[in-house]
Amino acid sequence: MSLPFCVQRACDEQASLIKRVAALWMYRELCATDVVLTHARCDELLQQHSHELLAFAQTVDMAYSLAVNVRLNAHAPYSKFLVGCAVIDEAGSIHVGCNVENASLGLTQCAERAAITTSVASGNVNIVAVVIVADTTTPVAPCGACRQVMVEFGTDIIVCSRTTSNDQTLYVVDELLPSAFTSW
Ligand code: THU
């Protein structure tokens, strides 16, 4: 990849508007932390889509607050580590999930997989972003199983992992799980 994913996606005329706006949002967020990431076409698109960008930023913040709330419903009596997740679909709807542990330990389901399952069950397989919340000093990176489940619904999904103090790290699924198994 010659340019960062978000730059490519933001400029991709074939992608849906929400995916391009999500990529622009990611670009803008990364520019705030990484001065190396500058691209004239993205700057132009940021101006052009300022309204959509504001709406998407608000959707991410709404997803974050829903994830913060659902996190409190986590069933985590073994690890005591509560995780909340909110998936944003192509229509801008939000679907939540929390981690659900089991005495067998191995049957534990992460918040990300729970939220993705909720999104799919409501008929929304076109996932744009996954927002994760945990009470850690730095944002958690999703586990390998969740990465594999995310990739099922798109290598271009944006993963926004935040702490309860609202620090965030952004990823694209493609970079979290390169050379993924997607078909046989
Ligand atoms: N967990 C998640 O729900 N998501 C993550 O991204 C990391 C881990 C859960 C699984 C388990 O219930 C607990 O956190 C400790 O691993």
Side-chain angles (χ1 to χ4, degrees), residues 152-164:
E152 179 74 16
F153 300 101
T155 52
D156 56 355
I157 293 170
I158 289 171
V159 177
C160 169
S161 183
R162 293 188 182 179
T163 65
T164 46

Side-chain angles (χ1 to χ4, degrees), residues 79 81 83 99 101 108 110-112 140-142:
S79 72
F81 186 67
V83 186
N99 53 330
E101 296 185 347
T108 291
C110 293
E112 295 90 324
V140 292

Side-chain angles (χ1 to χ4, degrees), residues 6 11 17 24 30 51 71 76 80 100 110 114 117 142-143 146-147 180:
C6 60
C11 302
L17 181 61
L24 280 173
L30 291 176
H51 288 101
R71 176 181 165 272
K80 318 261 191 249
V100 180
C110 293
T117 301
C143 80
C146 289
R147 294 176 194 205

